[in-house]
Amino acid sequence: MRESIIMKIHYGTALAAVALVAVHVLMRLTQSFAESLEYENVIANYQFLPYAGMLEIILILLSVHGFNGLRVILLELKQGRVYEKAVSYGCVAAMIGLIAYGSRTIIMVNMGIV
Amino acid sequence: MTQVPSIAEEQLSTSLSSSKSVTLRIARFNPEHENERKFMEFTIPYEKWTTVLEAILEVKKHFDHSVAVRYSCRQATCGSCGMIINGKPRLACFTKISELDSDIVTVEPMNNFPIIRDLAVRFERLFDTHHKIKPYLIRDDSEITSNEKEFLQSPEELEQYIQFSNCIKCGLCNSACPTMATDSSFVGPQALAQAYRYVADSRDKGKDSRLKVIDDSHGIWRCHFAGSCSQVCPKGVDPAMGIQFLRGYLLGFRS
Ligand code: SF4
Ligand code: FES
C-alpha cells in the first residue's frame, strides 16, 4: 500500500478517534466514576448495542492508528529489508490480535457468556 | 586537547592590526586511523569582517596545513563549506566570528554525513537523494529544438517555486534534520524541497513520477516538521514549508 494512503488512514483514524472518545467520555460523565465501573453497569453498557458498537469502532480506530504509529517509530529507529518487513507484518498481526481480543469481550457479553 | 601558541607576529598579514582574538577549536578526526574525535585549539586574531572559514585557513597557513576542510567560492554560493559552528550547522564562509558573540569558536563536521577527515564530509547520500527526485524539467517537448516555442511563465507562476530554486546543496538542512539522524534511508529535507521546486514549476509535467518517489516508507511522511532545516538554511529556501506544500499534493489539497 502506498505510504500516502496509509498516512491518510493514520490521520483519519486519529480525528475519528478524538470525536468518538469525546462521546465516550461524555457518556461516562452521566454516572460517577466508581458507579460506571460497577460490574452491572459495565455489562449493561456492553449490552446496549449502539454504545457497544461505538466502543468497537474506537477499538479499531485506536488499534489501527496506534500500531501504524509504532510501525513508523520502529522504521525510523532501524533500517534493513528483513527488519522493515518484520516490523510491518508484526504490527499488522498485533493490530488484528488486539482488535480480536477486544471484540471478543463485547461478543461474549452479548452472547451471555459473561 | 592540544594548545597551539598564537600566530607568530612576523607571519601575520592583515590580522596584525586586530586587537581581538578568538580561540578556534577544530575537531580533528581521521576515521581510517582514529577511533574518536579530538579538538585542537588555536588563538586567532580577527577583525569585524573575519569569517570562520578565513580563521580556519589562517590555521592551515600558519599552524597546521593538514586540517581538512572543503571550500571553494567563499561567498555562500558553492555550498561546500557547511560545518557545525558553535553547535549550529552554518556555512563557514558566511559566518563572521564577530556575529557569534563568543570568545571560543568550535567547528565540527556536519552531523548526519560520514566524515572523510576533520571538517570534510561525504556528500554521496545528499547527491543520490537529490538525483532520485529528478531535479530537472520533465516533459516531452523541449525549448532547445527548433520550431518549439519558449516555455513562458507568468510572474505568479514563477513565484510558486523561485524561493526553492535558491538551494546551493550545502546540506545544512540535512545536517540539522532529526529524522536524518536516525533514518539512514530518509530522503531528507534538501531533496524534498527540490521535489517541490520542480512539482510547483508550471513548465514541468513530471509531478506524478516525482510524487511516487517521495511517497515511500522513508519518504516525505517521515518528516516530523521539527523545522530545523528551515532555521539553518543560509539561502532562505525553507524546506519545511516546501515539504508541507508537497504533502498537500499527496493529501489531495493541491493539484
Ligand atoms: S535547502 Fe538550504 S540548507 Fe538545504 S541544501 Fe539547500 S541551501 Fe543548503
Ligand atoms: S565556500 Fe562556497 S559556500 Fe562557502
Side-chain angles (χ1 to χ4, degrees):
Chain A
M1 200 187 280
R2 294 281 289 273
E3 197 69 12
S4 54
I5 296 172
I6 298 176
M7 293 312 286
K8 277 180 196 165
I9 294 170
H10 191 68
Y11 299 146
T13 49
L15 291 174
V18 167
L20 291 188
V21 169
V23 174
H24 170 59
V25 170
L26 285 175
M27 290 189 72
R28 298 278 42 79
L29 289 178
T30 56
Q31 291 169 312
S32 71
F33 182 66
E35 210 180 334
S36 76
L37 289 180
E38 276 170 20
Y39 181 77
E40 289 73 25
N41 289 334
V42 172
I43 295 292
N45 282 331
Y46 279 135
Q47 282 170 344
F48 178 45
L49 274 185
Y51 188 62
M54 191 188 75
L55 290 179
E56 178 72 25
I57 293 169
I58 291 176
L59 171 70
I60 294 169
L61 291 173
L62 291 182
S63 303
V64 171
H65 184 81
F67 280 106
N68 184 50
L70 180 66
R71 177 189 72 95
V72 166
I73 293 169
L74 294 174
L75 289 189
E76 280 176 23
L77 275 184
K78 197 167 131 57
Q79 293 76 45
R81 231 174 66 81
V82 177
Y83 170 78
E84 288 179 30
K85 279 222 173 316
V87 164
S88 297
Y89 289 122
C91 284
V92 171
M95 180 188 84
I96 293 169
L98 187 68
I99 293 172
Y101 182 73
S103 306
R104 173 185 153 271
T105 313
I106 297 173
I107 293 166
M108 280 169 68
V109 171
N110 282 287
M111 287 173 67
I113 301 172
V114 178
Chain B
M1 213 174 282
T2 323
Q3 176 71 47
V4 181
S6 322
I7 297 175
E9 287 196 359
E10 66 274 14
Q11 288 177 316
L12 286 170
S13 47
T14 53
S15 339
L16 247 186
S17 59
S18 176
S19 55
K20 288 181 280 184
S21 64
V22 71
T23 302
L24 183 65
R25 295 177 73 234
I26 302 182
R28 306 297 307 267
F29 177 54
N30 183 346
E32 280 179 18
H33 303 295
E34 291 152 1
N35 294 325
E36 60 178 43
R37 187 182 292 187
K38 59 182 189 294
F39 285 88
M40 283 181 88
E41 292 187 359
F42 305 89
T43 306
I44 305 289
Y46 72 98
E47 300 288 353
K48 204 166 74 185
W49 51 82
T50 308
T51 64
V52 174
L53 180 63
E54 283 164 346
I56 296 168
L57 295 180
E58 283 287 309
V59 169
K60 278 178 76 72
K61 193 168 158 194
H62 298 291
F63 298 127
D64 187 347
H65 70 273
S66 72
V67 171
V69 59
R70 186 192 279 120
Y71 68 99
S72 178
C73 68
R74 303 197 195 190
Q75 54 173 12
T77 302
C78 71
S80 307
C81 67
M83 59 186 70
I84 306 289
I85 302 175
N86 281 3
K88 196 176 162 189
R90 305 175 205 246
L91 291 180
C93 71
F94 199 50
T95 307
K96 291 202 277 299
I97 290 177
S98 54
E99 84 193 31
L100 293 172
D101 213 14
S102 166
D103 294 335
I104 301 173
V105 174
T106 304
V107 289
E108 296 163 271
M110 284 198 287
N111 298 323
N112 308 335
F113 286 83
I115 298 171
I116 300 172
R117 193 158 60 81
D118 302 339
L119 304 171
V121 294
R122 278 187 208 291
F123 268 70
E124 278 87 347
R125 183 176 167 195
L126 184 137
F127 293 142
D128 281 353
T129 51
H130 180 69
H131 194 245
K132 213 167 113 185
I133 58 95
K134 308 179 186 188
Y136 39 82
L137 292 182
I138 300 174
R139 54 188 293 159
D140 295 334
D141 50 354
S142 145
E143 283 178 309
I144 302 163
T145 49
S146 52
N147 304 329
E148 291 285 356
K149 285 201 189 120
E150 235 181 303
F151 301 149
L152 294 180
Q153 216 166 31
S154 69
E156 289 75 27
E157 286 170 334
L158 181 73
E159 230 165 67
Q160 296 292 314
Y161 71 85
I162 190 70
Q163 173 183 1
F164 298 91
S165 63
N166 289 335
C167 175
I168 56 171
K169 286 113 203 140
C170 62
L172 294 184
C173 52
N174 282 13
S175 172
C177 172
T179 308
M180 288 293 290
T182 56
D183 187 342
S184 60
S185 307
F186 180 47
V187 66
Q190 187 278 334
L192 289 171
Q194 290 316 292
Y196 176 73
R197 178 255 172 271
Y198 286 95
V199 165
D201 191 323
S202 60
R203 299 166 298 176
D204 183 71
K205 304 277 178 249
K207 188 181 89 186
D208 292 343
S209 66
R210 229 173 253 119
L211 291 182
K212 212 168 155 185
V213 173
I214 59 167
D215 189 10
D216 168 70
S217 58
H218 295 285
I220 187 164
W221 304 103
R222 298 296 82 85
C223 164
H224 297 289
F225 203 27
S228 40
C229 50
S230 297
Q231 271 193 1
V232 302
C233 176
K235 306 304 277 186
V237 170
D238 200 351
M241 185 168 76
I243 293 170
Q244 299 316 307
F245 284 157
L246 216 44
R247 273 187 181 168
Y249 287 101
L250 289 163
L251 291 173
F253 300 131
R254 294 176 145 245
S255 55

